[in-house]
Amino acid sequence: MTDTSADLVILGGGSGGYACAFRAAELGLSVVLIEKDKLGGTCLHRGCIPTKALLHAAEVADSTRDADQFGVRAALEGIDIDGVNKYKDDIVSGLYKGLQGLAKAHKVTMVEGAGTLVDANTVEVDGTRYTGKNVVLATGSYSKTLPGLELGGRVIASEQALNLDFIPNKVVVLGGGVIGVEFASVWASFGAEVTVVEALPHLVPNEDEFASKRLERAFRKRGIKFKTGVKFTGATQNDDGVSVSLENGETYDADLLLVAVGRGPNTAGHGFEQVGVTMERGFVRTDERLRTNVPGVFAVGDIVPGLQLAHRGFQQGIFIAEEIAGLNPQPIDEAGIPRVTYSHPEVASVGLTETAAKEQYGSVETFTYDLAGNGKSQILKTQGAVKLIRATDGPVVGLHMVGDRVGELIGEAQLIYNWEALPEDVAPLVHAHPTQTEALGEAHLALAGKPLHVHG
């Protein structure tokens, strides 16, 4: 066997893996990055980027369809799905080329193939062993399904949904989380009849109940059907379609069933347990510094329990590189990681839900500012609101927003949370007019005791 040594060996080239590789290289470490598929991982090729391209195409379709309300004469002739897919694929291709160029510029040694951890310092790929002073596990996640529900034919996961060459007439989406509501939003904008099935009481159930209810209201107005608080019991398919059964006895016939019940950690078959890495339900257990129980072995991204978000993995990758280089970086606060659902309307949040804030702080104050009072939101003809949660007489500990484009407000929101700002700290800051950021400003003015564009 050939032996190749480096300061750092990384298994997985997704957001967490490549961020770790690039930052480690910047800090003067030699890096081997192992990836069985394409650099960029799920996020770039089968997740964040292509889905958001579809969502933007859907937004253009909606804008065209509703152009007359802005005084513009236009007609939506239809959706050219081949054109949509080309637009999507061109974006992915361009970003992929850029990422490959960055890997070269950072002098990261790229290895293509499936890697197996064989000891605390070594990953083997196709008979070649790569040894590092430290090893990072960054193998990502896969689309889960339910017991007894096999993917195939008319039962698809998000990966297949991204590459459809047709627009279904009827779709059932199993799962009302981020992935489910985003695809529901796309297909509804493209003209499909959509029904979302969610076993928990609300859509986007991990969000504050305020956000869930606002999104549900918007979906009703858009004609997107949803069944919450009811479990899926089975699906049968034939050449013509798929029939979906629920525990309440209802059945739904559709062209496709999208299974969007979450993502599982891609840890099986990589040798982690054989080397003694502590696992829990398939996830890799780490401490707050992302160290596993095996000295010198770290883990990053979707295989570490917590939010399965590309930007979380990205930041964790940077953290690990700086930790290995001896910079002693500050641990990442999971609640301080921004969350965005890019449906129409969008849902964006950072910090704690009201329920979690009450559990942690006992007493909280909240304020909800309706976007009806925000000029730019009225120009965009979007509805929604901004909800703030503060510990009583303390900092803002939760920010929750619903409305078109509110994902662009999350940058300021995460600074407010992560810097433990008081409403009184934010209230004097000047927000440009007319922008949606004013909604954040107005909400903090109100919570600081000096409401302006708010009815008492």
Side-chain angles (χ1 to χ4, degrees), residues 74-104:
L76 181 63
E77 294 180 3
I79 307 297
D80 172 10
I81 195 63
D82 291 337
V84 170
N85 284 333
K86 183 181 184 306
Y87 154 70
K88 164 180 64 74
D89 295 343
D90 284 350
I91 292 169
V92 172
S93 176
L95 290 170
Y96 178 45
K97 284 175 185 168
L99 208 49
Q100 289 173 304
L102 286 170
K104 243 179 228 178

Side-chain angles (χ1 to χ4, degrees), residues 241 312 340 382:
R312 170 181 180 255
V340 184
T382 186

Side-chain angles (χ1 to χ4, degrees), residues 370-404:
D370 200 292
L371 292 185
N374 177 256
K376 186 59 182 285
S377 295
Q378 294 310 298
I379 290 167
L380 295 173
K381 289 192 177 289
T382 186
Q383 296 179 332
V386 172
K387 176 180 176 179
L388 303 183
I389 303 161
R390 77 179 296 189
T392 299
D393 298 324
V396 176
V397 297
L399 301 95
H400 306 271
M401 302 177 283
V402 179
D404 288 342

